[in-house]
C-alpha cells in the first residue's frame, strides 16, 4: 500500500488522544463521524469512545481480525507521540498525521527527530507534526480540526494550519470545492514536495493551491512544481515578500536580489502562478476549475453599462490583457444582427436595453475573434436579470471559450448567481477581478506551454560535485579576470602591473587612452575612494595617477593597478551570481551603471539558464532598448550577452566555492561583449568576512 | 430657497411621466412612497395617480393653496421635457431632476440647450438629463430608479447612472450607509462641481465619494475638490485610465503625459484619494466613516496566526506603511503583561491561545507607539470568536486610534461581525485589504494637512489674459532660446550662425569644445538625422560639421546652426509644458536623456506650481539621486531646477499661445541650471500641423 493510499483512502483510522468533550481527540472523531467516515477507533488512556465506535487504551491493544488501521491521527501530548508511533508501527499503521504541536517549531528538534526515526523503522509516513490535519472529500475523510469544506476539484496544501483553516471555512461561501487538503506543519517527513508529486497524478484534483512560507529544498521543489505545472495549474501564496532579505550580501546584484525575489523567479520558472492572498487564490481557482484554457490575451468586454465596462477595460489593460477594438468585419456582423446596438467597440455596450439574445449573440460573435470575454451586467430593481444570465451561459456553452461574468450588485443581481454557477460561468463582484483572473490564466497557459515544449524542459541541476575555484581567500580583481578568461568568459583586455613604469609600458600596448584601477584588498569601493582614473593619455598622466593611487593605502596593502583600454560610447550591463539559501546559485542580469540600482532593473533566474532563457531574461528588462543601443549609432550584441549570462550561470556547477560573482560592468559591443570589472567572493572568504 | 434645499429637502415633489405599471413614473412614485415621502403629486396626461396621491394632467393645472412643489422629477419623453419645464417654472418649481434620456448623449445637443434656456428663464436648477435620480436618506427622499440605500454618512455622486445604481444596490451588503446620492447624467446645469461645493458644507455628509469619466471644467473642479478635501475625505473613481491619451502630442513630455496621468496629478493636487473601483471605494469609505484620522504610517499587526499576519505585513509594506518592530521598552512591557506571549515582534502573534484580554492589552500597549493597528483573527470551529472581537472593540474605545480588523472566515467568524460593526471597528475579509485602507487613509491625512497649511494653499489660476508669444508660426530653436532668456528662464550660452566662418568665430568665444546643431524647420529629430555634432575642437572640425549639416536639407530649408559649449559630465533633466484639454497648462519634470522615456520617470502637475511644489515633484522622481549627482563628484543644484520648473509653469499665465514647450535637456550644475535645447509649439502652429 502506498503512503498516499493509506493517508487519503485508509480502510480504517485510529484517533489517538483524549476524547473528553472539548479535547482534540473528541473534535477529530466527531469530524470523522459527521463527515461520513465510520471506521474509526478511539485510542486514549481511558479507552473512551464516542457514539458507538470502538475504543482501546493503546494501539497495541488492537484486536487482530478487525479491519486494518491504515492511518493514525495523533493528538496526544508531545512527549507521548514517539511511543504512540512505536505502537502504531507494530499495529501495521502505514501513515500518521501528527496534530500535536511542541516540536521543532518551539525549539524541540530532538523530539521531532525521534519521531522520524521511529517512523522510518516501521515504514510509517508522517504528516506534521504541528498541523491542522488532512481532508479527502472524495473519500468522506475529514480528520481535521477545521471546517469541513465542500467537495470539488481543488487540492489545497498549506504550511500554516491557521491559514489552511481559513481557506476551509471560506471555501463554501467562495464557491470553491476541495478534493484534498493537507496541513503539513513542520514536515518532518512528507513535505510539500511529496504532496505536489502525488497531486500531479491525482485524477480527483484538477487544480493545486499551495500556501508556503519557506520550501524545504528549493531545487527539488522546483522539479516537483514544474512537473505538476506542466499537467495542471499550480496557484501559490508565498508570504514574507517584505521580509528583509535574510542574509547580508556584499555584491551589487546580491543586495538587489532579496530572498523573495528569488522565490518569485523560481515560482515563475516552474510555471506556478503566484497570488497575493486567499481572496485572489479563490478567484483564480474558480477560473481554472470552470473555464477552458486561455488561448491568448484578446478580451472582449460585453456590458450593459458604460462605466463598469471601462473600469474592467482599465483593469485589463493594467494586467496586460489586450482589450483590442473589433475588426471591421465583426463590427459589420454585429451591426446587422443587433439592430439597436449602442457602441460597436470594445467594451461592447448593450445599454440597459440589452436582452438575453443580445448578450448571447454579441458574446458568440465577438468570441469568433477574441480569446475570452467578460460579461458585465449592472442590475437595477426594474430589470429581470435571470434571462440575461441565461444568455451569457448559452454563449459559454456555444463557444467553448472562457467567459467570466460580473453580475452586480446585491439583491437585484441575486437571481443571476445560481444560473451562472450552474452554467459554469464564474461570477466576480467587479470587472477588475474578472480581468485579473483572465490575465493570470493567460499567463499560466503561456508558462505551461513553455514547460511542455521539450526544448525548454528546465533542468534544476543538483550536482555540485565540481572542482573547487583556485583560491582559498578572496582573489584580487586581476586574478578573477584571468580566471574568467581561462574558463571561457570574455573579459576586456587588461594588464596587471606593480610599478608606474610597467603601467606606462602596458598602456603603450593599447591604441586608446586607458583606465587605471587600484588593486588592493583594502579597497572595495574603488570609485568612491578615488581608486579609478579614466582617459589617461600620456606617460605623465599615467605616472601621476599611479602615484596618487599608491598613496591611497598603506604600502603593504597596495598590490598594484590594472590597466585597460577605455571603451568608447560604452553600453553597460551587469551580470551577477549569488547563492540563495533555499535555491542555491541564482543568476542575475540587468542594466549597468547607476541606473541598475535606482530603477531596480534586474532579472533573476535560478541557475543554470540556457542561452534561450538568458535571451528571455534580457528581453524582460525595462531598459532592454538601452542595452540594444537602439538610440545610439551602433546596435549591440545581445546574443553574446545571453551567451555570457548562460555561461556564468553554469560556473557554480563546474566550480565549487563561488559565493558571489559580480561582473559590473559588462561592456556590450557591436560584436561580442566583455566583462570590464569582476569581483568574486569565495564561499570560504565570504564566511570569514561575515563572521567579523 | 436655495437649489439644494429644493433638491434635497423639498416640501413636496411632482413626478412627471406615465404612471402605468412598469413605466418610470410608476417606479419613481412607488419608490418615493415606499421610502416614506408622501407629499407627491403625479403629473401625466391621464392624470393617473398611485395609491391615494393626487394627480393632474400637467403642472399648470396645480391648484394654488396646496403645498408648494419645490422639486419636479421628470421622466416624460424627451420631446416633452422643455414644455414640462415651462409649466414647472410657472408653477414655482425650484429644482428638477430629469431622468429622461435622449439628449446630448445621443447627439441631441439642441434639445438639451433648450432645457437649460427654459430653466434659466424661471430660475430652476437642473440635475440631468439622462440620469438615475437622487436620494436624500435623511429626508426619506428616494426619487430614483435604483435600490433604496441604507442611511449613513457617505454622499455618493456619479456621472454614470448604472454605476450609481450598482453602488446603491451594494451599499447594504457592504455596510456603507449613504447620506445623499446624485446621478448627475449629462450635467446640463448642476455638475459635479456644484455638488462638491454643496457637500463640503453639508453637515449630514462626512465622506464624499465620486465617480467620474470626465470633468466639465478642470480648474473649477480642482478648486471645488481641494476645498472639500480640506474639510472631509473625497474618494474618487475615475475610469478611462487605459484610454489612449486622446490628443496627439508632438513633444517628449506631452506624449508621456497622457490624459489619465493629468487626472491622476490633478486629483492628487487637490487631495482626493483615487481608488480603482467600487469595492475599494466601499472599503475606504467604511474606514473614513468609522475611524479617527491616521496620524502616521506606523502600523502594528496583532494576529492569532502567523501566515495571515505576514501576508498583511507584506501588503502593508507594498502600500508604503511602516510595519516597524517594537521598541525595546514596548517589548518589555508586553513580556511582563502577557506571560505566554508568542512572538514579541511585528506582527505580534498571540497564537491560537490568544484571549480577549490579550487582544485588548496587546492592542492598547502597541498603540502607545504605533499610529494604527490591524487585528487579525483566523477562526476555527473550536474557538469562541465573540470575546476576541470584544477585546478588539475594547482596545479601539480605550485608545481612540484607528483599528481595523480581519476576522475570518465564513461561518466560524460570523459571531464576531456584529460585535465589530457595533464597536466601529471595520472588518475586511483579508489583512491585505486592511493594509490598503490604512495606507490610503494615511495618504489622505498627509494631503489634507498640506491643503490646510496656508502656505501651501493651491491657486488654480484661470486668468489667461496674458500677452501673446511673439510668433505666429513655429519659432526656430534659437528664437525660443533667446525668448526664454528674455523672460527669465536660464538657457546655456549659445550663438546662432549662418555660415561656417561665423561658426568658427562663435566657437572661439567659448573655452570648451563646442556642440553644433542644425536649425531647420524640416528637421525635428536632429540627432537621428545627423543634425548634431559634439566635441568639436578645431576650425577644421567645425567647418566639416557645418558643411555636413548644410547638406542634410535643401538650401532654402537651412537656416543655420546653433553653437554651444560642451557641458562636461552632464547631468540632465527634462522640463515640459503641455496643454491638457480638461485642465489646461500642465508642467512636467523628469530625468533627462533616453532614460526618461524608458523608465517613464516623469512627474506631472497642473500648472502653475510654487517652488516648494516643484521641489516635491523633483523629490518624487525615482531618479532624483541621479539628478542630485550623488554618484558623481559634484552635487547638483536641485533648488535651481525647482525654481526653473516653477517659472516655466507660470509662462502660460504670462504669455498666451503656448501649446507645448520642451526643455530637453536641462543641464544641472553645481550652481544653477540651464536649458540646453528648447522647442516651443505655439497653439496656432500646433493646430495647423495637426490639421495636415
Amino acid at each position: 500500500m502506498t503512503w498516499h493510499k493509506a493517508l487519503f483512502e485508509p480502510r480504517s483510522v485510529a484517533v489517538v488522544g483524549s476524547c473528553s468533550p472539548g479535547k482534540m481527540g473528541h473534535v477529530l472523531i466527531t469530524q470523522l463521524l459527521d463527515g461520513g467516515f465510520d471506521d474509526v477507533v478511539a485510542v486514549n488512556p481511558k479507552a473512551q469512545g464516542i457514539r458507538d465506535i470502538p475504543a482501546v487504551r493503546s494501539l497495541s491493544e488492537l484486536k487482530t481480525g478487525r479491519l486494518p488501521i491504515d492511518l493514525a491521527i495523533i493528538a496526544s501530548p508531545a512527549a507521548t507521540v514517539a511511543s504512540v508511533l512505536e505502537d502504531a508501527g507494530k499495529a501495521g499503521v502505514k501513515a500518521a498525521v501528527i496534530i500535536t504541536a511542541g516540536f521543532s517549531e518551539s525549539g524541540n528538534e530532538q523530539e521531532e527527530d525521534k519521531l522520524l526515526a521511529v517512523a522510518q523503522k516501521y515504514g510509517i509516513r508522517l504528516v506534521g507534526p504541528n498541523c491542522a490535519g488532512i481532508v479527502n472529500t472524495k473519500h468522506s475523510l475529514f480528520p481535521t480540526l477545521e471546517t469541513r469544506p465542500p467537495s470539488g476539484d481543488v487540492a489545497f496544501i498549506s504550511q500554516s494550519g491557521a491559514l489552511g483553516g481559513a481557506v476551509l471555512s471560506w471555501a463554501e461561501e467562495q464557491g470553491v470545492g476541495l478534493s484534498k487538503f493537507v496541513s503539513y506543519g513542520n514536515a518532518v517527513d512528507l513535505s510539500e514536495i511529496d504532496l505536489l508529486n502525488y497531486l500531479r497524478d491525482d485524477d480527483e484534483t484538477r487544480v493545486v493551491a499551495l500556501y508556503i512560507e519557506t520550501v524545504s529544498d528549493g531545487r527539488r521543489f522546483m522539479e516537483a512544481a514544474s512537473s505538476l505545472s506542466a499537467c495542471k495549474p499550480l496557484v501559490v501564496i508565498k508570504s514574507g515578500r517584505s521580509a528583509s532579505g535574510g542574509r547580508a550580501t556584499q555584491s551589487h546584484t546580491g543586495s538587489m536580489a532579496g530572498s523573495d525575489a528569488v522565490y518569485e523567479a523560481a515560482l515563475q520558472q516552474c510555471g506556478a502562478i503566484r497570488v497575493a492572498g486567499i481572496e485572489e487564490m479563490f478567484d483564480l481557482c474558480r477560473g481554472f476549475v470552470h473555464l477552458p484554457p486561455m488561448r491568448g490575451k484578446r478580451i472582449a468586454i460585453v456590458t450593459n453599462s458604460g462605466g463598469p465596462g471601462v473600469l474592467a477595460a482599465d483593469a485589463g489593460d493594467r494586467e496586460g490583457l489586450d482589450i483590442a477594438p473589433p475588426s471591421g468585419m465583426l463590427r459589420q456582423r454585429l451591426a446587422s444582427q443587433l439592430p439597436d446596438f449602442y457602441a460597436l467597440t470594445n467594451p461592447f455596450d448593450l445599454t440597459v436595453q440589452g436582452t438575453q439574445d443580445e448578450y448571447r449573440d454579441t458574446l458568440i460573435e465577438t468570441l469568433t475573434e477574441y480569446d475570452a470575454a467578460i460579461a458585465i451586467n449592472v442590475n437595477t430593481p426594474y430589470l429581470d436579470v435571470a434571462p440575461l444570465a441565461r444568455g451569457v451561459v448559452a454563449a459559454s456553452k456555444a463557444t467553448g471559450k472562457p467567459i467570466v461574468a460580473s453580475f452586480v450588485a446585491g439583491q437585484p443581481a441575486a437571481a443571476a448567481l445560481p444560473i451562472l454557477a450552474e452554467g459554469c460561468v464564474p461570477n466576480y463582484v467587479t470587472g477588475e477581478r474578472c480581468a485579473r483572473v483572465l490575465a493570470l490564466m493567460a499567463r499560466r497557459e503561456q508558462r505551461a506551454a513553455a514547460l511542455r515544449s521539450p526544448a525548454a524542459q528546465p533542468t534544476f541541476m543538483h550536482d555540485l560535485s565540481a572542482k573547487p575555484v583556485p583560491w582559498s581567500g578572496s582573489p584580487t580583481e586581476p586574478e578573477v579576470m584571468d580566471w574568467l578568461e581561462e574558463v571561457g568568459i570574455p573579459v576586456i583586455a587588461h594588464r596587471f602591473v606593480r610599478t608606474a613604469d610597467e603601467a606606462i609600458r602596458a598602456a603603450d600596448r593599447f591604441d586608446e587612452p586607458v583606465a587605471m584601477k587600484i588593486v588592493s584588498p583594502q579597497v572595495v569601493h574603488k570609485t568612491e575612494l578615488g581608486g579609478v582614473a579614466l582617459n589617461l593619455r600620456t606617460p605623465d598622466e599615467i605616472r601621476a595617477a599611479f602615484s596618487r593611487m599608491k598613496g591611497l593605502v598603506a604600502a603593504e596593502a597596495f598590490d598594484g593597478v590594472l590597466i585597460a583600454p577605455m571603451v568608447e560610447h560604452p553600453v553597460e550591463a551587469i551580470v551577477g551570481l549569488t547563492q540563495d539559501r533555499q535555491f542555491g546559485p541564482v543568476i542575475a542580469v540587468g542594466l549597468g551603471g547607476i541606473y541598475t540600482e535606482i530603477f531596480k532593473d534586474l532579472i533573476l533566474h535560478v541557475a543554470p539558464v540556457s542561452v534561450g532563457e538568458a535571451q528571455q531574461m534580457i528581453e524582460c528588462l525595462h531598459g532592454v532598448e538601452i542595452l540594444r543601443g537602439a538610440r545610439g549609432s551602433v546596435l549591440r550584441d545581445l546574443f553574446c550577452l545571453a551567451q555570457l549570462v548562460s555561461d556564468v550561470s553554469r560556473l557554480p556547477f563546474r566550480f565549487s566555492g563561488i559565493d558571489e560573482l559580480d561582473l559590473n560592468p559588462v561592456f556590450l559591443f557591436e560584436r561580442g561583449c566583455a566583462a570590464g570589472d569582476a569581483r568574486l567572493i569565495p564561499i570560504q572568504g565570504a564566511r570569514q568576512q561575515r563572521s567579523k
Side-chain angles (χ1 to χ4, degrees), chain A residues 249-274:
Chain A
T249 52
Q250 297 173 57
S251 66
H252 236 76
T253 43
S255 59
M256 287 190 290
S259 170
D260 186 74
V262 179
Y263 269 100
E264 181 85 31
L267 289 171
Q268 190 164 334
Q269 278 174 271
C270 53
I273 301 297
R274 184 175 185 181

Side-chain angles (χ1 to χ4, degrees), chain A residues 194-491:
Chain A
D194 305 287
L195 294 163
L196 291 178
N197 283 331
Y198 161 68
L199 290 170
R200 181 192 56 214
D201 303 322
D202 177 28
D203 291 336
E204 288 166 349
T205 295
R206 288 178 46 216
V207 177
V208 177
L210 172 67
Y211 171 82
I212 48 174
E213 288 162 3
T214 52
V215 297
S216 45
D217 178 331
R219 288 184 181 250
R220 281 187 56 229
F221 171 81
M222 286 179 77
E223 277 174 351
S226 51
S227 162
L228 186 144
S229 286
C231 308
K232 48 186 89 169
L234 173 61
V235 180
V236 178
I237 306 177
K238 159 73 178 78
S239 70
R241 206 183 271 265
S242 56
S244 52
R247 74 176 281 214
T249 52
Q250 297 173 57
S251 66
H252 236 76
T253 43
S255 59
M256 287 190 290
S259 170
D260 186 74
V262 179
Y263 269 100
E264 181 85 31
L267 289 171
Q268 190 164 334
Q269 278 174 271
C270 53
I273 301 297
R274 184 175 185 181
V275 291
I278 304 181
E279 211 170 15
E280 197 167 271
M281 183 194 91
F282 275 125
D283 279 1
L284 188 54
C285 285
R286 282 202 293 143
F288 280 132
V289 166
H290 294 300
L291 298 176
M294 292 279 289
R295 297 296 177 207
K297 294 187 163 188
R298 284 172 63 94
I299 308 293
I301 298 174
V302 178
T303 179
N304 76 336
S305 152
V310 178
L311 286 173
D314 286 356
D317 197 71
R318 240 179 359 248
E319 298 289 348
L321 294 172
D322 182 8
I323 318 292
S327 70
M329 220 151 67
L330 173 57
R331 226 193 317 257
Q332 268 182 10
R333 280 207 312 276
L334 287 172
S336 71
Q337 286 183 33
L338 304 162
D340 287 288
F341 207 83
Y342 184 75
L344 290 172
T345 180
N346 195 6
F348 299 87
D349 189 346
L350 301 175
T351 77
V352 72
Q353 317 283 342
T355 63
Q356 170 171 4
D357 288 358
E358 284 167 0
Y359 261 103
R360 185 195 60 214
D361 296 345
T362 309
L363 285 165
I364 291 175
E365 283 298 342
T366 53
L367 284 173
T368 56
E369 65 181 42
Y370 289 90
D371 300 306
I374 301 176
I376 295 177
N377 187 277
V378 176
N379 222 272
T380 54
Y382 53 90
L383 270 187
D384 186 7
V385 72
L388 307 179
R390 275 185 219 112
V392 173
V393 168
S396 165
K397 293 211 191 314
T399 60
K401 285 197 173 180
I403 301 181
V404 294
S406 180
F407 273 51
V408 289
Q411 199 44 47
L417 306 187
I419 296 167
L420 294 169
E422 175 78 13
C424 285
V425 174
N427 189 63
Y428 300 96
V429 293
T430 62
E432 298 91 288
R433 277 162 79 166
C434 289
R436 176 81 180 149
V437 165
L438 293 181
L440 290 175
M441 287 184 66
R443 208 173 299 167
R444 135 105 194 131
E445 214 45 45
Q446 215 174 7
R447 294 195 195 152
L451 286 174
R452 282 187 216 113
S453 109
Q457 206 64 39
T459 51
F460 305 113
M461 298 167 74
H462 295 273
D463 189 7
L464 294 174
S465 62
K467 66 175 181 179
V469 289
W471 322 277
S472 54
S474 290
T476 62
E477 186 182 339
E479 284 172 333
V480 178
M481 296 282 272
D482 292 345
W483 178 74
L484 286 171
E485 208 161 12
E486 209 178 295
V487 300
I489 308 294
V491 297

Side-chain angles (χ1 to χ4, degrees), chain A residues 537-550:
Chain A
R537 288 162 187 271
T538 64
D540 285 352
E541 286 175 355
I542 291 171
R543 196 172 299 280
F546 186 92
S547 92
R548 211 169 48 246
M549 286 189 194
K550 201 165 177 179

Side-chain angles (χ1 to χ4, degrees), chain A residues 29-228:
Chain A
I29 292 173
T30 309
Q31 288 269 50
L32 279 164
L33 298 177
D34 289 352
F37 192 92
D38 296 325
D39 296 319
V40 181
V41 178
V43 182
N44 54 69
K46 298 184 194 159
Q48 189 180 6
I50 295 182
R51 302 184 200 166
D52 52 0
I53 64 159
V56 294
R57 270 177 300 180
S58 108
L59 279 164
S60 59
E61 276 183 18
L62 274 179
K63 295 198 192 82
T64 52
R66 61 157 282 123
L67 208 56
I69 307 277
D70 295 324
L71 174 64
I73 310 295
I74 303 174
S76 61
T80 70
V81 176
S83 81
V84 169
L85 279 179
E86 279 279 355
D87 293 345
K90 287 172 190 152
V93 166
K94 313 283 185 309
V97 175
I98 304 171
I99 310 281
T100 311
F103 294 91
S104 63
E105 85 282 5
S106 43
N108 197 353
E109 272 91 0
Q110 237 178 346
E111 196 64 31
E112 193 162 296
D113 291 346
K114 218 174 2 174
L115 302 188
L116 187 59
V118 178
Q120 283 174 341
K121 181 164 116 197
Y122 293 101
I124 307 178
R125 301 305 302 266
L126 302 181
V127 170
N130 182 33
C131 78
I134 65 163
V135 164
N136 178 3
T137 58
K138 312 290 182 182
H139 201 66
S140 299
L141 184 76
F142 297 94
T144 174
L145 305 174
E146 309 294 338
T147 312
R148 295 197 303 278
S151 177
D153 298 330
V154 178
F156 180 59
I157 308 174
S158 181
Q159 191 170 7
S160 153
L163 193 130
V167 168
L168 296 190
S169 298
W170 213 4
E172 180 93 54
E173 193 179 317
Q174 288 279 333
V176 172
L178 297 190
S179 55
K180 297 188 171 62
F181 164 70
V182 181
S183 159
Y184 63 87
N186 298 358
V188 62
D189 177 17
L190 291 169
S191 71
E192 79 287 354
I193 295 168
D194 305 287
L195 294 163
L196 291 178
N197 283 331
Y198 161 68
L199 290 170
R200 181 192 56 214
D201 303 322
D202 177 28
D203 291 336
E204 288 166 349
T205 295
R206 288 178 46 216
V207 177
V208 177
L210 172 67
Y211 171 82
I212 48 174
E213 288 162 3
T214 52
V215 297
S216 45
D217 178 331
R219 288 184 181 250
R220 281 187 56 229
F221 171 81
M222 286 179 77
E223 277 174 351
S226 51
S227 162
L228 186 144

